[in-house]
């Protein structure tokens, strides 16, 4: 018998979809991804990108307070024992994701810790192949595989992730480590300028590091950066090394010139990498309509419909604009409701 709903992914969108479909008695099966070294290196381990962050101050419903006792009682002890101690002042990304996962399981969602590596959406019921060699069929599918940030690929960058190195100013920019202190943003497109403008609200100065002699951003965005009193653009520069220590995290950058100038040492408390994101859609080529940047294309406004009827998409895999946990969770809810109503309309429930 085919599954009623298979959900692919394990971030806020996937677990929200699992909660809603489980409560609707659709008995969802969630493929959360495989715990392999290859996935770890690619940033694709279960629980999504939020599991790679520390402080989460902007997700509604988790103010600073006595969360320790709640975490101990709400999360499976077998999972909790391997998690870092609670920070105290706010919930962390791994904690939030474990709570979402447990909530979905509490309502009956089943979880398989494998990747979906191939799909056939031209057949119905839909066919899916997992990384362990198993084959599955589903009456409806929700794709919520997210998108991963593009990084510089430096060993020192990896060392200081979540300790001053970030790929999301909106997520992390208001943290105390960046307030009234110098920070750097790497990139030259609209996203990089947006990050720099956002950080200018908090930092004492924002260095925008760009490898060329002019920005790739649109002219209005570029003008805003050039005219902003707290943004200083460092032309023809690339980050060669992130400097810091275990106590303070990031303390500076070593910048190499692309125009033959001497290297530059920059004192900063943070580095925001804004060189784009890559949606996790490689297994969908030829199966769903994608945008030019390989995001899943929604075919109907305000619906999570894809180019294949019965296949729905939620979260960052179809969102190259907001990329927030709360918006991903919202579209996960939408996809679950869309799937339920679609199945009902077909008499599939």
């Amino acid at each position: 018998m085919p599954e009623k709903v298979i959900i692919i992914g394990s971030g806020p969108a996937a677990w929200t979809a699992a909660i809603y479909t489980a409560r609707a008695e659709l008995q969802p099966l969630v493929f959360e991804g495989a715990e392999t070294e290859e996935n770890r290196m690619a940033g694709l381990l279960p629980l999504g990108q939020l599991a790679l962050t520390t402080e989460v101050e902007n997700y509604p419903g988790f103010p600073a307070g006595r969360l320790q006792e709640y975490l101990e009682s709400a999360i499976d002890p077998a999972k909790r024992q391997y998690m870092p101690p609670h920070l105290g002042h706010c919930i962390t990304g791994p904690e939030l994701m474990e709570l979402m996962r447990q909530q979905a399981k509490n309502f009956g969602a089943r979880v398989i810790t494998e990747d979906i590596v191939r799909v056939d959406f031209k057949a119905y019921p839909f066919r899916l192949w997992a990384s362990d060699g198993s084959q599955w069929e589903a009456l409806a599918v929700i794709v919520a595989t997210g998108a991963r940030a593009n990084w510089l690929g430096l060993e020192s960058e990896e060392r200081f992730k979540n300790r001053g190195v970030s790929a999301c100013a909106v997520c992390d920019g208001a943290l105390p480590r960046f307030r009234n202190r110098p920070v750097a943003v790497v990139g030259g497109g609209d996203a990089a300028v947006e990050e720099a403008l956002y950080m200018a609200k908090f930092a004492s100065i924002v260095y925008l590091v760009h490898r060329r002699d002019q920005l790739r951003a649109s002219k209005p965005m570029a003008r805003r950066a050039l005219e902003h009193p707290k943004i200083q653009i460092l032309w023809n520069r690339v980050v060669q090394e992130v400097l810091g220590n275990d106590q303070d995290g990031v303390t500076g950058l070593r910048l190499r010139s692309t125009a033959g100038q001497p290297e530059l040492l920059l004192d900063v408390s943070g580095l925001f990498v804004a060189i784009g994101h890559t949606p996790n859609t490689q297994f969908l080529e030829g199966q769903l309509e994608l945008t030019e940047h390989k995001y899943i294309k929604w075919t109907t406004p305000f619906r999570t419909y894809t180019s294949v009827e019965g296949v729905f998409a939620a979260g960052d895999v179809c969102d190259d604009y907001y990329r927030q946990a709360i918006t991903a969770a919202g579209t996960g809810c939408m996809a679950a409701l869309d799937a339920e109503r679609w199945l009902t309309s077909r008499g599939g429930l």
Side-chain angles (χ1 to χ4, degrees):
M1 287 289 292
E3 300 289 336
K4 292 180 181 178
V5 178
I6 285 181
I7 299 169
I8 312 171
S10 60
W15 295 122
T16 303
I19 290 167
Y20 272 77
T21 51
R23 292 185 73 248
E25 299 186 351
L26 294 180
Q27 302 159 341
L29 178 62
V30 182
F31 282 86
E32 66 174 349
E35 294 178 333
T36 64
E37 180 63 15
E38 181 181 0
N39 278 354
R40 188 190 73 81
M41 294 299 294
L44 296 174
L45 285 175
L47 303 183
Q49 293 296 297
L50 208 61
L52 304 177
T53 67
T54 50
E55 300 97 329
V56 178
E57 296 183 323
N58 57 0
Y59 197 91
F62 293 94
R66 298 180 61 183
L67 289 173
Q68 179 70 37
E69 295 89 342
Y70 174 59
L71 292 167
E72 298 297 337
S73 64
I75 297 176
D76 185 340
K79 287 273 188 178
R80 184 66 183 142
Q81 65 177 326
Y82 295 111
M83 296 172 63
H86 179 56
L87 292 176
H89 63 276
C90 67
I91 197 162
T92 67
E95 290 168 352
L96 182 57
M97 295 316 304
E98 288 287 1
L99 289 172
M100 288 188 185
R101 184 181 191 274
Q102 188 63 48
Q103 189 173 358
K105 291 185 67 178
N106 288 351
F107 286 117
R110 294 160 296 145
V111 181
I112 295 180
T113 309
E114 296 289 343
D115 295 314
I116 292 296
V117 295
R118 186 161 67 94
V119 299
D120 182 359
F121 291 155
K122 296 178 174 62
Y124 193 81
F126 303 121
R127 294 190 292 174
L128 304 93
W129 288 262
S131 51
D132 62 356
S134 60
Q135 298 183 29
W136 302 83
E137 291 187 340
L139 301 179
V141 174
I142 296 174
V143 182
T145 47
R148 60 193 184 276
N150 298 333
W151 298 95
L152 301 173
L154 301 172
E155 182 179 342
S156 55
E157 171 192 53
E158 182 69 27
R159 177 187 173 192
F160 291 108
K161 282 182 181 177
N162 300 317
R163 293 192 296 156
V165 173
S166 170
C168 181
V170 175
C171 309
D172 302 327
L175 296 175
R177 72 163 64 242
F178 305 122
R179 285 182 177 270
N180 301 311
R181 303 177 70 183
V183 302
V185 174
V186 175
D190 281 352
V193 172
E194 287 174 359
E195 296 275 282
L197 291 167
Y198 185 85
M199 287 309 303
K201 302 175 183 179
F202 307 104
S204 58
I205 185 171
V206 179
Y207 298 103
L208 184 55
V209 181
H210 186 44
R211 65 184 305 122
R212 298 181 177 87
D213 59 1
Q214 60 182 353
L215 296 174
R216 292 183 292 104
S218 61
K219 289 184 178 179
M221 290 296 292
R223 185 163 53 249
R224 290 179 65 188
L226 290 165
E227 295 176 353
H228 200 289
K230 291 177 68 175
I231 295 177
Q232 180 179 336
I233 303 179
L234 301 179
W235 304 107
N236 301 311
R237 291 285 178 179
V238 295
V239 178
Q240 187 172 10
E241 183 182 6
V242 181
L243 307 174
N245 56 63
D246 291 339
Q247 179 177 345
D248 302 315
V250 172
T251 60
L253 301 174
R254 188 187 307 276
L255 303 181
R256 177 175 60 84
S257 172
T258 61
Q261 298 298 313
E263 74 172 21
L264 176 65
L265 294 179
L266 200 64
D267 292 329
V268 295
S269 65
L271 170 65
F272 292 85
V273 181
I275 56 175
H277 289 73
T278 300
N280 301 315
T281 55
Q282 63 277 4
F283 68 103
L284 296 172
E285 290 284 352
Q287 297 292 325
L288 292 179
E289 185 177 358
L290 307 177
T291 71
E292 61 177 324
H293 297 298
K294 304 300 183 181
Y295 289 84
I296 297 176
K297 182 179 289 187
W298 278 353
T299 57
T300 304
F302 305 107
R303 298 291 184 270
T304 61
Y305 305 164
T306 71
S307 58
V308 173
E309 189 177 351
V311 178
F312 307 89
D316 289 8
V317 74
C318 50
D319 173 18
D320 63 354
Y321 186 74
Y322 293 106
R323 292 197 293 261
Q324 298 298 302
I326 188 65
T327 53
T331 57
C333 165
M334 293 163 60
L337 296 176
D338 287 342
E340 179 191 6
R341 291 165 183 170
W342 183 78
L343 286 170
T344 300
S345 71
R346 292 175 56 90
L349 296 183

